[in-house]
Amino acid sequence: MILASLLLPIAVAAIVFLVQKVRLPVFLAVMATVVVYGIAADMTFQSVGKAFGLGFATALEQTGLLVVAGALVGAVVLRAPLGTGTSAAAGVLAGLGASASGGLALLQPAGQDAPRRALGLALTLLAAAALLAPSPLAVAAASVMKASIRTELMIAVPVAAVAIALGWWHVARQIPSTDEPGRLNWAWLCVAIPLVLLVVQSIAQMPSEPLGKGGSREFYIGISKPLMLAAIAITLAIVLARRWEPSALAGRSWAPLLLAVGASGGLARVFDETGMAELLAEYVLHPRYGVLTPFLAAAIVKTMQGNSLTAVLTASGMVEPMLPALGLDSASGRAIAAAAVGAGSMAICHVNDPFFWIAAHMGRLSPGRALYVVSLGSAVMAIGALIVIAAIRQFI
C-alpha cells in the first residue's frame, strides 16, 4: 500500500507526459497508466480490469450524460459566456447541488471564449460544494460529526467566501484577461432549471427529510437523476432555440471529454482498490494536530482517491471518535471539525477526478497547465479555508 501511494505522483506525471509529449488522447493515456500502475502496485489483472470498468461506468452514469447535455446545450442555443458576477453566482448555485462534477458539466456553455471566468466558476463551485449546505458534502460532514447544520453553515459561509475569493485571485494570476463579454438571457433556463433540480435533490436527501418521505422524496430524487436532467436541458435548449438544427445535435465535440471523464473515474477506482488513502489518513490521526487532523485526513483521501464525498465520509468517520481528544467536543467544535473536513475535501483536485478534466476543458488547458491552475488553486483555497477555520476557533 505504501508503494501504491508512492506511485501516485509518478502516475500523474505519466499521464501528463503521454498527453502532452506523446500526443495520446486522454482516455488512452489514462488507460495505459492504469495498466502499468496496477502491475507496479502488485494488483492482479482481474482486479485492475474490474476496478477500472466499474469506475468508468459509474463516472459515465453520474457525470457523462451531463457532459453530453452541457455540450449540446452550448451548441444549440447558448453561444456566449456568462459575466463575472453571474459566473460566480452560477458556481455557488451548482455547488449546492447533488453533484459538483455534474453541475460543472451542465455549465460548460458558461465558459465559451472566457477561460478565466470558466475556471473561476469551477473553483467557486468546488468551494461551495465542499462547505455550504445543502451540498451533500457539507451535510454528510455535519451528520457524521453530529454537528448542527445551522451552526456549521454559520461557520462555513465566511470560510467559503474567503476560499472563493482566493480561487478567483489565483485564476486571475494565471490566466490572462481575454474573455468575451458575458450575456445573460432567457435561454439560460435550460441550464438553470437542471441546476435547481440538483439543489432540490440535495435537500431531499438530507437526513431530516425536509421535502417529505416516501413517494415525495423518491420523486424529487428521481427527477434529478442525470438522465432526466440531460433530457430536460436538451429539450429546453431545442425549444428556446426556436429553430431546428439537427447538425448541432449531431456533433461529437463532447466525445473526448466524455471518455476522459470515464477514464478518470476508472483511475480513481483503481487507486481506491489499493487502500492507500485510508492507510495514509490514519497517520495524521493524532490529538496534537487539533483542527488540522480532520483537514489532513480529508485532504489525503481526496488527493489519493479523487472522490470528495468518499473523502468526507472516510475522514469524518475516522475523526469523530477523536473529537474530545482534539478539544472539539462542543457544539461549535463539532461544527468546526465538519467545516475542516469540508475544506480538506477540496484539495487536491487532479487527474483522478472528473471535475478536473471538465474544468481543464472549459479553461482550454493542457493537463500540465491544469495541474498548475486547477489543482494548485484547489490547494490554495483549502489552505486559506483552514486558516480562517483556525482563526474562528480562537473566538468561539
Side-chain angles (χ1 to χ4, degrees):
M1 292 182 184
I2 297 297
L3 175 62
S5 63
L6 295 176
L7 290 172
L8 186 142
I10 298 176
V12 173
I15 291 171
V16 173
F17 175 79
L18 290 173
V19 174
Q20 296 186 198
K21 301 299 182 181
V22 185
R23 302 297 181 183
L24 282 181
V26 171
F27 172 72
L28 293 179
V30 174
M31 187 171 67
T33 302
V34 164
V35 173
V36 176
Y37 175 88
I39 296 171
D42 200 26
M43 299 174 66
T44 65
F45 292 117
Q46 181 179 1
S47 62
V48 172
K50 182 178 180 180
F52 183 82
L54 289 173
F56 185 89
T58 300
L60 290 187
E61 177 189 2
Q62 295 179 350
T63 306
L65 287 171
L66 299 181
V67 166
V68 176
L72 292 181
V73 165
V76 171
V77 69
L78 297 177
R79 297 189 175 93
L82 291 174
T84 301
T86 316
S87 295
V92 172
L93 174 65
L96 301 178
S99 170
S101 57
L104 187 62
L106 284 170
L107 282 167
Q108 288 178 80
Q112 296 181 82
D113 301 316
R116 178 187 282 194
R117 290 201 295 269
L119 292 166
L121 183 156
L123 292 182
T124 297
L125 198 162
L126 189 65
L131 293 164
L132 300 178
S135 160
L137 303 183
V139 172
S143 179
V144 177
M145 293 292 187
K146 300 181 178 63
S148 164
I149 291 180
R150 179 176 296 180
T151 305
E152 194 271 343
L153 190 59
M154 290 176 61
I155 293 170
V157 167
V159 174
V162 171
I164 290 169
L166 286 172
W168 282 89
W169 170 80
H170 175 75
V171 169
R173 286 174 56 87
Q174 304 301 326
I175 306 297
S177 179
T178 57
D179 292 354
E180 291 292 321
R183 187 172 64 191
L184 182 65
N185 54 45
W186 288 106
W188 280 98
L189 284 173
C190 61
V191 171
I193 290 175
L195 289 180
V196 170
L197 288 175
L198 277 175
V199 177
V200 169
Q201 182 182 358
S202 293
I203 298 172
Q205 290 176 328
M206 293 176 69
S208 59
E209 297 180 319
L211 298 183
K213 304 179 180 181
S216 297
R217 183 174 186 271
E218 291 303 318
F219 170 78
Y220 290 122
I221 293 175
I223 200 173
S224 305
K225 290 296 184 182
L227 175 61
M228 301 304 298
L229 295 179
I232 291 170
I234 295 170
T235 301
L236 286 173
I238 294 172
V239 171
L240 292 171
R242 298 180 181 178
R243 59 185 180 276
W244 176 241
E245 293 188 22
S247 60
L249 292 173
R252 297 292 183 272
S253 60
W254 42 262
L257 178 58
L258 181 68
L259 290 174
V261 164
S264 64
L267 178 65
R269 187 63 179 258
V270 171
F271 285 165
D272 185 45
E273 286 293 308
T274 65
M276 59 182 176
E278 292 83 357
L279 179 66
L280 290 178
E282 290 177 358
Y283 284 106
V284 301
L285 301 179
H286 198 288
R288 71 169 176 265
Y289 295 150
V291 75
L292 191 61
T293 297
F295 173 85
L296 288 177
I300 289 171
V301 177
K302 169 60 187 295
T303 302
M304 295 294 176
Q305 200 270 343
N307 187 295
S308 294
L309 183 58
T310 299
V312 166
L313 293 173
T314 302
S316 298
M318 287 179 168
V319 172
E320 196 277 333
M322 296 181 57
L323 292 181
L326 294 171
L328 297 172
D329 196 25
S330 62
S332 60
R334 289 179 176 273
I336 285 174
V341 166
S345 72
M346 283 190 272
I348 297 172
C349 177
H350 63 94
V351 299
N352 60 354
D353 188 345
F355 189 96
F356 172 86
W357 294 106
I358 299 171
H361 174 77
M362 290 175 65
R364 300 177 181 178
L365 302 177
S366 66
R369 184 65 175 154
L371 286 174
Y372 197 73
V373 178
V374 179
S375 303
L376 182 58
S378 69
V380 168
M381 290 196 305
I383 293 171
L386 175 65
I387 293 173
V388 177
I389 290 169
I392 291 175
R393 188 191 177 192
Q394 301 303 314
F395 295 99
I396 63 174

